[in-house]
Amino acid sequence: MRCTYCLGLNIQKLIDYAEVEFSGWYVPKVSFYQHHPSIHELEKSADGGCDLCALMIHAFKTSKTDDHRYYASEDSDLLSAIKDWTETSSIRISIQASHIYTATPLEGTLMLDLLQISAGEYKETSSDPDESYLQEPPTVFLQLLTPLDLSLKLGRYDIGRFKTDIDLGSESNVLIAKDWIETCSNHHQGCPSPDPTSFPTRVVDVGTSDDAKCRLLIPEPGFISRYLALSHCWGGPIENVLVKKTLAEFQVCIDWDDLEANFQDAVTITRSLGLRYLWIDCLCIVQDDFDDWAAESKKMADIYRNAFVTISAMSSPVSSHGIFQTPIEVENGPPPAVDICLSGDNRTTVSVAAFSQGDKSKAEDLRLLYMYSPICLRGWCLQEAVLSPRILHYGVSQIYWKCCRGFQSADGALPGNLFPENEFYPALSSVLYSDLARDGDSSTIAPLNKRMLMDEFYELVNQYTKRKLSYWKDKLPAFSGLAQKMHTAIGGIYLAGIWSKDIRRGLCWQKEMSWARHASTYQAPSWSWASTNDLVNFTNPDSFADNENLTLVGSDVELVNENNPYGAVSSGYIIVRGLTMALWRTLGTISQTELELTTDLGAAMWDEPMFEGDSLGITMRHVCEVVDEETGDQSFFVEGVEAEYRDMLEATVTGLEDIEAKGYTVLLVSKANPSEEDQREGGYCIILEKETEEDVYRRVGFLSLSPYPLTRFEGWKTETLKII
């Protein structure tokens, strides 16, 4: 028996309240639907048989207090915490939209798909008006859902998202995927042609029926057909892969039982979409043949670029896990969904449901999958995602789509908060798909913007360094497809991850976290971002001075395989000419007077710690200048520490007195443009450590100089250095 409060509730009434007061993800202060006067009355109604009250109680009960930092940690869940209050806990209901960002007004909202249930009122956090702010009441959410074949609207608003089938291989999900593919292939003018311009060396032929045998196909020269590609995490060794011994055997039959679960599901997807050919790396590249691996990895860019659709096993951490997954059932699962009316004068209803994993914070969306899913943490998979024109993503609870026109999800979510940002690279797309323009019409591909292309390159490097590789020796190979496709447009020489045409910005990478330790096993020259497995970012070139401060005189990179100029390297050097200054790295303390005089000089971003146990301490380490008293020119830099930091180190680290000062060379890569407020120049430098060989150096850090008197650069020395 539904309670009086729930009987009086409908969606139109909530929209009327929202038109008086609405702000994305905020609880309204004055305009809401007043429900039961307390959490206790709500629970009593739920126990008495009100199905909608029961859903609300379930939402409060499955929301842990950890998600609401202002509640008692000893309570096991949010419901218990609220019931222990002495404050009012009146239940108030409003409507919200999951696709919008915080504080978005109602005018920016197109779909309303959440019931927002709060308990209590806003309250002041402090009696001091200067320190106090209004704290929101505890809030939980319920979903508004409609069947896949039913779209509901009230005025200009879509109401609810579609209820999806958690069986990702179901016929309904296949129909959704087919619709996305057909729409993109036949109607998206901004997307490249679905017809390939080349075909892989080998593919898996999955046959034309569900009971057909799979086999390895080595096509005749000139053979062209649409094919799918699989992007997946190996997650460790795979037992049955293509090797020299099985090459002939696989061309006859690849036994179904020998296929990993991911591959079986990929075959099933290929067949269900009406395709016959599937490319899987470990079944189409001879894994124990170095020459074949080198040759095929060089083709990786074209393999994914030409794929009709790439299947992304997004949530599968290992090959044996499977693409078709079932969400984990939570203990004491949610009550069944219930219906409420759209308005008071008609019987059209929308379903109200709890989130399958309890709290909304545990619900799946593509934005979070792009941040945390297994495939988005793996290095090889970045270029696979960027190079693929069409991707069919498989999450845990639903399927998703990406093409040049944007994202879609099976539940019909709208663009915004539920989809990732900055995952499209228009300049790179113009390079990738210029020869795949629909019907030869190049107007469907955006014109090339070289400056934007370079910005996208450095953004991709930053994203790439956030990912892991099973074998760090693949640092450059796993990025080679992107570099290969960009090279013609950028020009110059590709030097182990940086471009000769943009040498200044390429050298100006720095650590993003505590350190950028250089790999113990050689991966790249010290001046390349590929020399570290830690996160790096790059200096914004907008602040670079127009004049060329550093000149590339010469370079050489030794490749592991001469057939792949973008792959692994065994050694390399650059010879550059520029301004230099000496720098001493010390643990000496800086006086307050020195600190006041030099605090704006800059900060040294060392790649590696000075000693074991060294902490970051950038804010307590400062670069000071030592000036020749006779000439007024700068003689050298000294990095010292504040006395407080030295005392802290001595209390936690032994043997500091044995750590001697060490000398380095600072190489100016680029001066920085003066600002309107400050007509002095700053600068961006790399810090070099001298090798035993004369004039041969190794990069050990980055130095950013704050606004710096022009005359001081006169004390710097012009040198030609070889950096390895």
Side-chain angles (χ1 to χ4, degrees):
M1 187 69 175
R2 192 165 286 186
C3 72
T4 303
Y5 293 107
C6 289
L7 285 173
L9 181 65
N10 62 66
I11 300 301
Q12 184 60 62
K13 189 173 292 187
L14 294 178
I15 293 176
D16 293 341
Y17 283 118
E19 288 176 342
V20 175
E21 179 189 7
F22 181 91
S23 183
W25 297 106
Y26 283 106
V27 175
K29 297 182 178 67
V30 296
S31 187
F32 48 79
Y33 182 79
Q34 181 63 61
H35 204 260
H36 282 286
S38 72
I39 195 77
H40 300 282
E41 291 296 320
L42 180 68
E43 188 174 43
K44 182 179 178 181
S45 176
D47 292 341
C50 180
D51 51 3
L52 185 50
C53 287
L55 275 175
M56 298 182 203
I57 286 295
H58 174 82
F60 281 112
K61 193 169 186 178
T62 53
S63 181
K64 301 300 182 183
T65 54
D66 289 348
D67 301 328
H68 303 271
R69 61 185 180 279
Y70 35 85
Y71 302 115
S73 59
E74 62 267 18
D75 290 310
S76 60
D77 54 59
L78 185 56
L79 176 63
S80 301
I82 300 172
K83 287 168 67 175
D84 289 342
W85 282 6
T86 57
E87 297 95 337
T88 177
S89 58
S90 62
I91 306 303
R92 302 170 178 192
I93 301 177
S94 52
I95 199 161
Q96 269 292 349
S98 58
H99 73 96
I100 62 175
Y101 297 97
T102 301
T104 299
L106 190 61
E107 292 74 19
T109 304
L110 298 174
M111 174 186 284
L112 297 167
D113 62 341
L114 295 174
L115 289 190
Q116 182 173 249
I117 301 104
S118 59
E121 304 173 358
Y122 279 84
K123 63 178 182 179
E124 297 282 350
T125 59
S126 171
S127 57
D128 185 343
D130 294 331
E131 297 182 359
S132 182
Y133 63 91
L134 285 177
Q135 186 179 72
E136 280 194 323
T139 304
V140 294
F141 297 90
L142 295 174
Q143 302 178 89
L144 299 178
L145 300 173
T146 70
L148 281 170
D149 58 352
L150 179 62
S151 295
L152 297 179
K153 289 186 78 74
L154 274 177
R156 68 181 190 86
Y157 306 107
D158 291 322
I159 304 300
R161 284 191 272 164
F162 297 128
K163 180 175 175 57
T164 58
D165 190 337
I166 61 173
D167 176 6
L168 301 188
S170 69
E171 182 61 27
S172 63
N173 279 315
V174 170
L175 290 175
I176 291 170
K178 283 184 173 181
D179 183 64
W180 286 336
I181 294 169
E182 191 276 334
T183 300
C184 177
S185 299
N186 297 326
H187 304 290
H188 284 178
Q189 290 302 308
C191 290
S193 168
D195 296 318
T197 57
S198 64
F199 198 75
T201 305
R202 308 175 191 94
V203 293
V204 176
D205 181 351
V206 305
T208 57
S209 63
D210 289 343
D211 57 356
K213 291 182 179 180
C214 294
R215 69 183 185 92
L216 187 68
L217 172 69
I218 303 177
E220 296 292 332
F223 180 86
I224 291 285
S225 179
R226 291 179 177 180
Y227 65 92
L228 302 187
L230 176 65
S231 179
H232 69 110
C233 296
W234 284 46
I238 299 174
E239 184 174 350
N240 293 296
V241 297
L242 179 64
V243 292
K244 295 175 183 177
K245 181 180 178 181
T246 59
L247 182 57
E249 175 188 334
F250 276 18
Q251 293 178 67
V252 177
C253 176
I254 303 175
D255 190 79
W256 180 263
D257 292 335
D258 288 342
L259 290 173
E260 299 285 352
N262 278 3
F263 308 157
Q264 291 179 346
D265 289 345
V267 168
T268 299
I269 294 167
T270 304
R271 289 170 175 168
S272 69
L273 295 177
L275 275 293
R276 181 166 180 172
Y277 303 115
L278 172 65
W279 189 88
I280 302 176
D281 51 5
C282 59
L283 297 180
C284 298
I285 301 175
V286 183
Q287 299 297 307
D288 61 349
D289 186 330
F290 176 80
D291 291 335
D292 188 72
W293 189 93
E296 292 302 307
S297 63
K298 183 181 177 181
K299 300 175 185 176
M300 203 81 74
D302 283 329
I303 288 171
Y304 283 97
R305 187 195 72 129
N306 278 284
F308 180 47
V309 174
T310 293
I311 302 167
S312 172
M314 203 169 206
S315 296
S316 179
V318 296
S319 295
S320 60
H321 193 262
I323 299 174
F324 300 147
Q325 301 179 45
T326 302
I328 300 172
E329 292 188 10
V330 295
E331 188 177 355
N332 301 320
V338 303
D339 292 336
I340 63 171
C341 293
L342 286 188
S343 63
D345 58 359
N346 70 58
R347 305 308 300 169
T348 304
T349 61
V350 62
S351 291
V352 181
F355 290 90
S356 60
Q357 298 298 302
D359 195 354
K360 183 191 177 302
S361 64
K362 302 177 181 66
E364 177 182 288
D365 62 59
L366 194 58
R367 178 180 63 87
L368 293 175
L369 285 173
Y370 260 77
M371 294 170 64
Y372 304 117
S373 68
I375 204 169
C376 291
L377 301 177
R378 305 305 302 173
W380 277 101
C381 298
L382 175 66
Q383 67 174 7
E384 296 168 6
V386 174
L387 293 166
S388 300
R390 284 166 285 271
I391 305 177
L392 186 57
H393 288 298
Y394 283 79
V396 173
S397 62
Q398 64 173 314
I399 61 173
Y400 307 87
W401 175 258
K402 179 192 175 186
C403 66
C404 294
R405 287 281 290 271
F407 294 105
Q408 295 190 65
S409 61
D411 63 5
L414 297 181
N417 185 49
L418 299 177
F419 292 142
E421 297 179 2
N422 303 322
E423 293 299 329
F424 294 93
Y425 303 94
L428 176 57
S429 293
S430 70
V431 173
L432 288 176
Y433 309 133
S434 59
D435 62 338
L436 291 180
R438 196 176 296 273
D439 299 324
D441 180 8
S442 60
S443 65
T444 63
I445 305 296
L448 175 63
N449 181 325
K450 286 194 175 183
R451 168 60 191 275
M452 184 186 293
L453 181 65
M454 292 306 303
D455 288 344
E456 290 176 1
F457 174 81
Y458 293 111
E459 169 61 24
L460 284 166
V461 172
N462 175 256
Q463 294 300 316
Y464 181 58
T465 62
K466 296 176 182 178
R467 297 174 175 232
K468 302 298 181 185
L469 291 160
S470 297
Y471 306 100
W472 287 112
K473 63 181 176 60
D474 292 340
K475 188 78 174 187
L476 286 169
F479 198 75
S480 62
L482 292 169
Q484 177 188 3
K485 287 303 176 186
M486 290 183 173
H487 195 169
T488 301
I490 293 173
I493 306 171
Y494 183 68
L495 300 168
I498 68 174
W499 303 98
S500 64
K501 287 260 186 168
D502 197 28
I503 191 70
R504 291 189 295 166
R505 190 175 179 188
L507 292 175
C508 284
W509 57 269
Q510 57 189 290
K511 62 187 179 185
E512 189 168 302
M513 304 298 285
S514 298
W515 306 109
R517 296 176 186 265
H518 292 216
S520 56
T521 302
Y522 191 87
Q523 295 173 183
S526 67
W527 38 263
S528 168
W529 54 265
S531 64
T532 177
N533 296 324
D534 292 321
L535 276 63
V536 304
N537 57 41
F538 290 83
T539 301
N540 187 338
D542 289 342
S543 57
F544 283 13
D546 292 335
N547 55 313
E548 188 74 30
N549 302 126
L550 176 136
T551 303
L552 179 64
V553 177
S555 63
D556 185 63
V557 171
E558 291 291 329
L559 300 169
V560 171
N561 188 297
E562 292 296 331
N563 293 323
N564 188 359
Y566 311 98
V569 301
S570 56
S571 66
Y573 68 80
I574 56 175
I575 299 174
V576 293
R577 184 170 179 80
L579 295 175
T580 66
M581 177 61 65
L583 165 66
W584 287 88
R585 188 183 191 185
T586 79
L587 286 176
T589 56
I590 302 175
S591 69
Q592 188 61 36
T593 301
E594 291 172 317
L595 187 58
E596 291 173 357
L597 291 173
T598 63
T599 186
D600 288 334
L601 188 59
M605 306 283 284
W606 298 95
D607 293 345
E608 306 198 28
M610 188 176 186
F611 54 88
E612 197 62 39
D614 192 7
S615 58
L616 185 58
I618 283 181
T619 56
M620 304 188 77
R621 295 186 177 195
H622 304 276
V623 176
C624 304
E625 56 185 350
V626 177
V627 178
D628 188 303
E629 294 182 357
E630 294 183 5
T631 65
D633 290 337
Q634 191 165 41
S635 298
F636 54 88
F637 291 141
V638 174
E639 183 195 54
V641 299
E642 295 179 39
E644 179 185 350
Y645 184 55
R646 174 76 188 209
D647 293 342
M648 182 181 71
L649 286 174
E650 288 179 339
T652 57
V653 180
T654 59
L656 290 183
E657 63 279 359
D658 298 327
I659 299 174
E660 298 180 352
K662 190 170 181 179
Y664 299 90
T665 296
V666 171
L667 172 67
L668 180 67
V669 177
S670 179
K671 294 178 182 177
N673 286 316
S675 64
E676 292 183 5
E677 296 78 19
D678 196 329
Q679 290 302 304
R680 300 178 298 172
E681 287 183 311
Y684 305 104
C685 314
I686 56 174
I687 307 172
L688 306 173
E689 180 180 14
K690 194 167 187 177
E691 293 287 292
T692 54
E693 187 180 345
E694 186 176 356
D695 295 330
V696 175
Y697 295 81
R698 182 182 303 275
R699 177 205 151 113
V700 292
F702 178 80
L703 176 64
S704 176
L705 293 173
S706 298
Y708 185 69
L710 286 167
T711 56
R712 294 291 173 80
F713 280 115
E714 295 174 3
W716 291 52
K717 179 182 177 183
T718 300
E719 289 188 277
T720 299
L721 308 176
K722 180 179 180 180
I723 311 174
I724 61 174

